[in-house]
Amino acid sequence: MMNVREFSKISMIKGTLMAVEGVSDASYNELVEIETTSGKKRGIVVDSQLGVSIVQVFEGTTGISPTGTKVRMLGRGLEVKISEEMLGRIFNPLGDPLDNGPEIIKGERRDINGEPINPAMREYPEEFIQTGISAIDGLNPLVRGQKLPIFSGSGMPSNLLAAQIAKQATVRGEEGSFAVVFSAIGARYDDAVFFRKFFEETGAINRVAMVVSLANEPPVMKILAPRTALTLAEYLAFEKDMHVLAILIDMTNYCEALREISASKEEVPGRGGYPGYMYSDLATIYERAGKVKGKKGSITQMPILTMPNDDMTHPIPDLTGYITEGQITFDRSLYNKGIYPPINVLLSLSRLGKDGIGEGKTREDHANVMNQLFAAYARAVDTRGLAAIIGEDSLTEMDKKYLLFGEMFERKLINQGLNENRSIETTLDIGWELLSIFPESELTNIKAEYIKKYYPPYRGKK
Amino acid sequence: MENGRIVRVNGPLVVADNMRSALMYEVVQVGEGKLVGEITRIEGDRAFIQVYEDTSGVKPGEAVYRTGSPLSVDLAPGLMGRLFDGLERPLDTIASTSNSPFVSKGIKVSPLDENKKWHFVPTVKKGDKVDEGDIIGTVPETGLVEHKVMVPPGIHGTVKEIVPEGDYTINENILILDMEGDEKPISMLQRWPVRIPRPYKEKLEPTEPLLTGVRVLDTIFPLAKGGTAAIPGPFGSGKTVTLQSLAKWSAAKIVIYVGCGERGNEMTDELRSFPKLKDPWTGRPLLERSILIANTSNMPVAAREASIYVGATIAEYFRDQGYDVLLVADSTTRWAEALRDLGGRMEEMPAEEGFPSYLPSRLAEYYERGGRVKVLGKPERIGSLSLASAVSPPGGDFTEPVTSNTLRFVKVFWPLDVSLAHARHFPAINWLQGFSAYVDLVAKWWNTNIDPKWKEMREIIVNDLIREDQLKQIVRLVGPDSLAEKDKLTLESAKFIKEAFLKQNAFDDIDAFSSPQKMAKIMNALVLFHDRGLKLTEKGFSVKDIVEKATPVMTEIIKSKAIIKNNELQKYDELIAKLNSVFDSMEKGDAS
């Protein structure tokens, strides 16, 4: 560990960056304290050269002057004190309380950048989490330790769905100790208040820790917010045996901040002006989820992002989708139809779902029913396109059945109430009811024995 | 060797001075933590070092320690069944010794177990003259792989001493050569620089298919042993699942899977399932023939750039032993992005979309490492290295630089189509866009070994699929009623092909792997429907009528993918007979 060194010669200030002269031994990523006439600020060394260090200032460079400013190199990296006591509290990304409560005294200092999990130490996620949401449980099942984002669009109810999932999520037959780590990234103040109130009303507030960076704070704080939150999540999961649900909202703000900082460093931009390393940078956040061998706890991650112009190919959702284990995608046309949650199941995916379902986990017929519902809904959507051109009357009888199925699927299976918590059996039974629109021969994805057991016309005969 | 001194730290890029005698691509140890790095540029007495580990805490003034040698891998018994990182550090050993779920930086562990004794059986004797590549003995490495111990490239001479059959570690000398008067001891361990392809005698033309058990690949767009394939697709289109199918079921003797900048859980999935899954060709656990290399997306980006070369070098080493090796890389886009990231930090002039201008030549060099070759040494043997790589185009745009440049260097193209994936048609390979330059080369093998009509049947199937696309455009304009009966039949035939053949469930125990014989049986059924259906329409039967009568059997055939096992193919003959009798009875009756 190095000592604290003090410097006072600043040769350049630009955006959130400043150059400190006369430094020859600053570590890369070393924490810096800046004393100005108007107060203290903090920053880190982002480029260290013999004789000069480039420092990125967290709180922005407003009020820093080339004269009369003292810069102290602290001889350590960016660490935040982490403790179980953070549950029930609200902090900023540097670990300072925002709720008028006391500072965290007892705690472990941890580098918020974390370290990559060794793939050989990972435990493969396969415990089904029942969220009570049919579109997720039935068609895109979530498992413990998965990272599954919500791709939302501006104005759509991603907050409501995230809150509903946080409230309803359970692993059946198990009452483990759970915690929610909530990171608001560049959030509007009312969003932060919404979640706080929601957790208070549901009585869960003592199991929730919030790390908040507001929309009007400098971009660096938005870069730190998810990292601090996930450092706490790792501590709770792997030291305190808790099952942690980490909600990061909104990753679009995170990426905007990343772009802003990259531009201020004059880096070569990639697609859409976002830095070329955005994929790797996002991975250092999203990959901090999972289960590891020898530890009871787990981190399940649910990042939420807003697709700019509802465009799924925009770099933010695009790079996210390449890293996360699936995505839950919102659809404006379902939203306009009044469907809640407006999840387009065809554009959604859960990569790990297949390992969390079936006999002993959900129900034996789950995988088959899921595949059949997907195939039928995909054809229904296709048929809608055809009907729009040639008219509904020219469709074959079977195509008309698909059209009907598509409508019923959206209204009965996808659509549900804000407080409606459906068991997986209920979801699957709704699925079977919808499939009974079709004759048995149309159900090519389902094993004969399940048809005999669950297909409503047979059930009626009993 | 003199040490250098760090003058700048900027992320993974470190600049050091006092490095006038440094070599390009020399491996160095950076700072007090001795982080591994590689010299990628030299200017005056300054060397630019790309560091393979997180540089937080490194500062100017610290030393840079030279090693004098380029980035190399250890090659010896003990590679099979292991999990390495992008620099051949053994993640499995690190996991069992470190007690931490994380990979901490600066860890130094040798790649292979240096204490384990391997049973060596010599195949040369005192006085024999040996040359580079000659096999000097064998080691049963796993139940599946007999490791051939070879004379390293560049070495030759007369055997002065050879150890008797027995158990030796990889570092013990097993052979002493008289090389032009000098004594040259040889152990089972070879080292090879990863950026230099291993030498061989001669490149040969690929002739045999590399069977994968995935119907659409083997039949529509076949890969040959020693061939190169790219599989681009947007996220969620099934790249990883398809590559995992290749790694699991392909008929390669040895499979090396490089997870390059991808998800941690995917590597875990393979580690978890490969010991349990059986190689369908030999019945042995898959892990006995597999090597996994993981540089997950959150691991340091410079090591990601190296991981591809580490994989290729290990693959070539087994090719040199005379094996058919498959190297799967998921994903080369992440590798190219690592190039871009490092190039940007070195302030190189960017070309398209910020990628360095040497991206195409790096891709060409990589794909050129594949091939079917006559390898060095005695006994004469042929080995092959097939390359299958995922490409992850941003936004699914195939015109972006990595995809478009990759297409210039591969012979097989398996494009994944997101609309097929959204409709849950898997594997979501677009049969209109894809190509394979090996169809004619491998057709001979299929016709001789599996079914003499294979090539003919394949053409009928492909034609129906192409024709379907044209017809669908007409239907979109004028509706289905205006089509001629024979065109309606083509639509039904194409639908049957997709449902009964192209769609394949990678997660179903039976459907996941199709033997070539099973593929040929299903193809027979498809062609039967096409041929006899067409005949009936010519006789005036309506397609509606044909489909109505044939649907029960067709449904049975569609479902049979996941019911009839590879060893019960006589059941297909029964289904085909049933389909035949449906057509027989229709032909006997009149057109209605």
Side-chain angles (χ1 to χ4, degrees):
Chain A
M1 189 61 52
M2 300 250 313
N3 296 327
V4 177
R5 290 98 68 213
E6 201 173 284
F7 304 90
S8 58
K9 192 171 175 203
I10 296 165
S11 59
M12 181 270 295
I13 306 170
K14 191 170 86 179
T16 56
L17 299 177
M18 63 176 199
V20 185
E21 298 281 329
V23 197
S24 302
D25 59 351
S27 310
Y28 183 65
N29 277 344
E30 183 170 347
L31 194 60
V32 176
E33 212 171 64
I34 303 142
E35 211 179 292
T36 69
T37 44
S38 54
K40 268 189 192 172
K41 290 172 185 283
R42 274 165 291 186
I44 48 166
V45 176
V46 292
D47 188 351
S48 173
Q49 306 173 26
L50 273 186
V52 61
S53 282
I54 309 294
V55 173
Q56 178 139 45
V57 186
F58 297 150
E59 294 90 345
T61 46
T62 315
I64 299 183
S65 159
T67 51
T69 300
K70 281 182 189 155
V71 178
R72 268 189 292 275
M73 303 272 171
L74 298 183
R76 58 182 166 90
L78 179 55
E79 290 165 338
V80 170
K81 242 186 210 172
I82 295 295
S83 137
E84 225 175 327
E85 292 166 29
M86 292 174 86
L87 288 172
R89 306 277 313 272
I90 307 180
F91 297 88
N92 78 2
L94 300 171
D96 309 323
L98 290 181
D99 55 1
N100 303 321
E103 295 249 355
I104 297 296
I105 310 287
K106 255 173 47 190
E108 204 178 291
R109 279 197 174 279
R110 287 204 169 192
D111 181 341
I112 63 164
N113 288 306
E115 288 175 319
I117 298 180
N118 184 341
M121 283 299 282
R122 279 184 186 268
E123 188 99 52
Y124 196 72
E126 46 191 352
E127 291 160 287
F128 175 74
I129 297 179
Q130 182 174 298
T131 64
I133 312 283
S134 289
I136 297 177
D137 293 353
L139 293 146
N140 295 290
L142 175 69
V143 294
R144 205 178 246 173
Q146 186 173 8
K147 40 188 181 290
L148 190 64
I150 298 175
F151 288 6
S152 178
S154 38
M156 289 203 265
S158 49
N159 284 1
L160 291 179
L161 182 64
Q164 191 178 2
I165 290 170
K167 182 177 77 175
Q168 293 179 177
T170 50
V171 166
R172 287 154 34 116
E174 198 192 295
E175 296 293 320
S177 66
F178 81 99
V180 175
V181 172
F182 182 88
S183 179
I185 306 160
R188 285 189 308 267
Y189 191 72
D190 45 349
D191 284 332
V193 171
F194 163 81
F195 277 102
R196 179 165 176 85
K197 261 181 76 186
F198 177 83
F199 289 129
E200 271 170 1
E201 278 163 15
T202 52
I205 190 71
N206 290 328
R207 312 300 307 162
V208 180
M210 297 176 84
V211 177
V212 176
S213 73
L214 291 174
N216 56 0
E217 285 180 293
V220 192
M221 295 300 250
K222 297 167 198 165
I223 301 298
L224 301 179
R227 294 189 161 80
T228 302
L230 290 167
T231 304
L232 174 62
E234 280 169 359
Y235 175 80
L236 296 175
F238 304 141
E239 305 294 329
K240 299 292 167 193
D241 295 339
M242 289 183 194
H243 293 293
V244 182
L245 176 65
I247 298 176
L248 314 174
I249 188 168
D250 175 323
M251 288 305 287
T252 301
N253 296 338
Y254 175 88
C255 294
E256 298 296 345
L258 197 68
R259 176 165 71 175
E260 195 177 330
I261 291 170
S262 170
S264 76
K265 289 200 254 178
E266 292 173 7
E267 290 168 340
V268 180
R271 278 217 167 191
Y274 296 93
Y277 52 77
M278 191 157 88
Y279 174 85
S280 301
D281 186 278
L282 284 172
T284 61
I285 292 173
Y286 296 142
E287 277 287 330
R288 291 172 84 172
K291 293 178 66 187
V292 299
K293 286 181 185 151
K295 309 276 181 187
K296 283 196 196 116
S298 64
I299 302 173
T300 308
Q301 228 189 73
M302 189 158 268
I304 294 165
L305 60 84
T306 308
M307 296 182 279
N309 301 317
D310 294 347
D311 176 10
M312 210 169 152
T313 65
H314 183 280
I316 298 170
D318 189 52
L319 294 178
T320 298
Y322 273 122
I323 305 164
T324 53
E325 284 140 354
Q327 71 278 342
I328 302 294
T329 310
F330 279 7
D331 187 328
R332 181 89 43 198
S333 66
L334 288 174
Y335 175 66
N336 289 343
K337 267 190 193 174
I339 308 281
Y340 171 87
I343 297 176
N344 184 329
V345 295
L346 297 179
L347 301 179
S348 304
L349 170 73
S350 167
R351 291 167 190 273
L352 306 182
K354 62 183 184 344
D355 298 297
I357 60 173
E359 208 177 340
K361 291 175 175 169
T362 53
R363 207 169 76 181
E364 52 183 358
D365 57 327
H366 191 160
N368 279 196
V369 172
M370 182 170 105
N371 288 339
Q372 191 69 58
L373 288 171
F374 270 126
Y377 184 58
R379 182 154 165 205
V381 171
D382 245 16
T383 311
R384 260 183 215 165
L386 187 64
I389 298 165
I390 62 168
E392 230 173 274
D393 294 340
S394 345
L395 294 177
T396 64
E397 282 311 305
M398 190 56 83
D399 280 346
K400 283 181 191 156
K401 285 191 170 153
Y402 275 99
L403 222 47
L404 173 67
F405 170 84
E407 214 46 44
M408 303 282 281
F409 179 81
E410 288 167 4
R411 303 226 170 266
K412 289 206 154 166
L413 190 93
I414 303 292
N415 193 32
Q416 66 185 84
L418 274 170
N419 290 310
E420 190 180 351
N421 188 357
R422 289 185 190 156
S423 73
I424 182 63
E425 286 81 7
T426 311
T427 295
L428 290 175
D429 287 344
I430 296 173
W432 275 107
E433 195 189 308
L434 297 176
L435 289 173
S436 69
I437 292 173
F438 303 116
E440 202 184 324
S441 64
E442 204 62 18
L443 308 181
T444 51
N445 291 317
I446 304 183
K447 284 190 179 154
E449 51 177 301
Y450 300 148
I451 293 182
K452 291 272 175 316
K453 196 162 162 188
Y454 297 106
Y455 187 52
Y458 287 111
R459 278 190 172 182
K461 271 182 204 163
K462 265 180 201 169
Chain B
M1 258 174 286
E2 220 177 333
N3 294 336
R5 178 183 67 141
I6 298 174
V7 296
R8 181 178 186 189
V9 187
N10 177 13
L13 176 73
V14 167
V15 183
D17 63 6
N18 198 25
M19 298 284 281
R20 191 165 287 280
S21 63
L23 312 168
M24 203 51 186
Y25 292 112
E26 178 181 342
V27 169
V28 292
Q29 295 179 328
V30 176
E32 285 157 18
K34 296 202 166 181
L35 309 180
V36 185
E38 195 180 8
I39 296 175
T40 53
R41 184 197 288 180
I42 301 174
E43 279 177 11
D45 74 337
R46 290 194 163 193
F48 290 65
I49 302 159
Q50 106 185 12
V51 181
Y52 292 127
E53 298 177 78
D54 176 23
T55 52
S56 292
V58 177
K59 54 185 182 295
E62 289 184 36
V64 170
Y65 306 93
R66 309 248 328 263
T67 65
S69 62
L71 182 64
S72 306
V73 286
D74 285 9
L75 302 166
L79 287 164
M80 299 314 302
R82 304 286 307 280
L83 173 70
F84 300 102
D85 78 353
L87 300 174
E88 208 199 12
R89 280 180 299 201
L91 290 171
D92 43 7
T93 314
I94 291 172
S96 58
T97 52
S98 77
N99 233 340
S100 155
F102 303 106
V103 187
S104 307
K105 61 180 178 179
I107 288 184
K108 302 266 179 300
V109 187
S110 56
L112 301 172
D113 189 340
E114 291 172 337
N115 300 316
K116 183 170 169 127
K117 298 224 173 207
W118 295 95
H119 191 76
F120 175 76
V121 184
T123 53
V124 292
K125 53 187 190 307
K126 201 174 166 176
D128 283 356
K129 278 201 181 334
V130 293
D131 212 338
E132 53 179 357
D134 284 5
I135 294 173
I136 53 176
T138 59
V139 168
E141 186 171 346
T142 67
L144 266 177
V145 176
E146 183 179 68
H147 197 108
K148 311 257 167 61
V149 182
M150 297 171 291
V151 177
I155 308 280
H156 58 92
T158 315
V159 178
K160 209 169 165 189
E161 268 174 56
I162 176 106
V163 292
E165 178 177 344
D167 297 339
Y168 305 93
T169 66
I170 54 172
N171 287 320
E172 280 177 79
N173 289 334
I174 47 166
L175 176 80
I176 297 185
L177 272 186
D178 180 351
M179 186 172 166
E180 289 151 6
D182 292 339
E183 265 193 8
K184 179 86 194 165
I186 291 176
S187 68
M188 286 190 257
L189 176 71
Q190 293 191 16
R191 305 204 80 224
W192 190 263
V194 298
R195 294 184 195 279
I196 301 173
R198 285 174 64 89
Y200 51 84
K201 255 187 218 153
E202 187 190 344
K203 253 195 186 164
L204 308 168
E205 191 182 45
T207 50
E208 236 182 83
L210 181 72
L211 295 172
T212 65
V214 181
R215 291 185 291 268
V216 60
L217 303 188
D218 287 351
T219 309
I220 312 289
F221 306 121
L223 177 61
K225 284 179 179 167
T228 49
I231 176 161
F235 67 87
S237 56
K239 273 186 308 296
T240 300
V241 174
T242 311
L243 286 179
Q244 284 179 341
S245 292
L246 279 182
K248 286 174 187 166
W249 316 126
S250 78
K253 179 78 181 178
I254 283 155
V255 176
I256 296 169
Y257 196 104
V258 185
C260 177
E262 289 294 306
R263 303 176 182 92
N265 273 330
E266 282 166 6
M267 298 312 290
T268 311
D269 186 19
E270 278 145 31
L271 273 183
R272 172 189 73 132
S273 60
F274 279 21
K276 285 181 247 163
L277 289 171
K278 299 271 187 287
D279 174 13
W281 308 91
T282 56
R284 302 281 310 179
L286 279 176
L287 203 62
E288 291 189 356
R289 64 157 203 189
S290 312
I291 300 171
L292 303 173
I293 295 174
N295 179 271
T296 56
S297 53
N298 55 340
M299 289 181 174
V301 68
R304 188 188 303 167
E305 192 266 338
S307 63
I308 290 272
Y309 297 106
V310 168
T313 308
I314 296 176
E316 285 172 343
Y317 173 68
F318 282 99
R319 174 205 67 188
D320 290 347
Q321 296 177 32
Y323 291 125
D324 292 318
V325 185
L326 170 67
L327 176 64
V328 175
D330 185 11
S331 144
T332 48
T333 295
R334 305 304 161 215
W335 168 78
E337 285 175 351
L339 282 184
R340 174 169 70 183
D341 192 3
L342 298 164
R345 285 187 196 266
M346 302 235 295
E347 287 156 15
E348 290 169 345
M349 180 69 80
E352 263 183 295
E353 293 203 14
F355 286 103
S357 54
Y358 47 79
L359 172 71
S361 54
R362 291 285 171 87
L363 281 168
E365 280 166 26
Y366 169 67
Y367 284 107
E368 207 45 44
R369 291 180 86 158
R372 181 166 166 267
V373 300
K374 192 184 274 179
V375 304
L376 293 177
K378 299 184 292 284
E380 264 200 15
R381 52 201 191 272
I382 287 170
S384 72
L385 171 53
S386 315
L387 302 173
S389 317
V391 183
S392 318
D397 171 12
F398 287 2
T399 62
E400 60 88 37
V402 183
T403 315
S404 55
N405 281 308
T406 299
L407 275 181
R408 294 164 51 201
F409 307 119
V410 296
K411 291 286 180 68
V412 179
F413 181 46
W414 293 323
L416 292 168
D417 188 327
V418 79
S419 59
L420 286 175
H422 289 162
R424 279 5 187 217
H425 175 116
F426 287 116
I429 289 168
N430 184 312
W431 47 85
L432 298 171
Q433 281 182 349
F435 62 74
S436 163
Y438 302 118
V439 175
D440 293 327
L441 289 175
V442 303
K444 213 173 137 196
W445 181 92
W446 277 93
N447 280 359
T448 324
N449 293 290
I450 306 294
D451 191 320
K453 294 200 306 296
W454 183 82
K455 191 157 185 235
E456 210 180 302
M457 294 194 298
R458 180 186 174 276
E459 265 161 28
I460 291 174
I461 289 171
V462 170
N463 283 337
D464 271 358
L465 290 170
I466 293 172
R467 183 81 185 123
E468 184 210 22
D469 184 59
Q470 299 163 341
L471 292 172
K472 274 201 161 163
Q473 291 179 17
I474 299 174
V475 170
R476 255 174 243 133
L477 291 175
V478 294
D481 291 337
S482 54
L483 290 183
E485 285 301 300
K486 79 172 182 9
D487 289 338
K488 284 187 194 161
L489 189 96
T490 303
L491 287 183
E492 292 299 331
S493 173
K495 196 171 137 200
F496 190 31
I497 292 167
K498 284 187 267 181
E499 294 294 327
F501 192 74
L502 297 185
K503 277 194 193 176
Q504 188 166 0
N505 184 350
F507 304 112
D508 184 276
D509 292 341
I510 296 173
D511 198 23
F513 171 78
S514 266
S515 68
Q517 289 81 2
K518 179 170 170 178
M519 292 185 203
K521 289 283 182 205
I522 305 178
M523 286 166 85
N524 269 294
L526 302 176
V527 170
L528 172 74
F529 177 81
H530 168 98
D531 285 350
R532 297 201 67 177
L534 215 54
K535 261 185 215 145
L536 284 182
T537 58
E538 280 160 15
K539 285 188 182 167
F541 285 85
S542 78
V543 170
K544 198 175 163 218
D545 197 23
I546 299 172
V547 169
E548 211 164 83
K549 298 239 165 59
T551 289
V553 191
M554 284 164 79
T555 308
E556 249 187 282
I557 294 174
I558 290 170
K559 287 191 172 188
S560 72
K561 293 183 294 187
I563 294 170
I564 300 183
K565 295 181 181 147
N566 288 312
N567 58 5
E568 340 172 291
L569 297 181
Q570 72 286 356
K571 290 193 182 162
Y572 271 109
D573 297 331
E574 290 161 24
L575 284 175
I576 289 169
K578 258 196 199 172
L579 190 57
N580 260 321
S581 66
V582 170
F583 283 109
D584 287 345
S585 64
M586 285 185 81
E587 270 175 8
K588 270 179 214 150
D590 288 323
S592 44

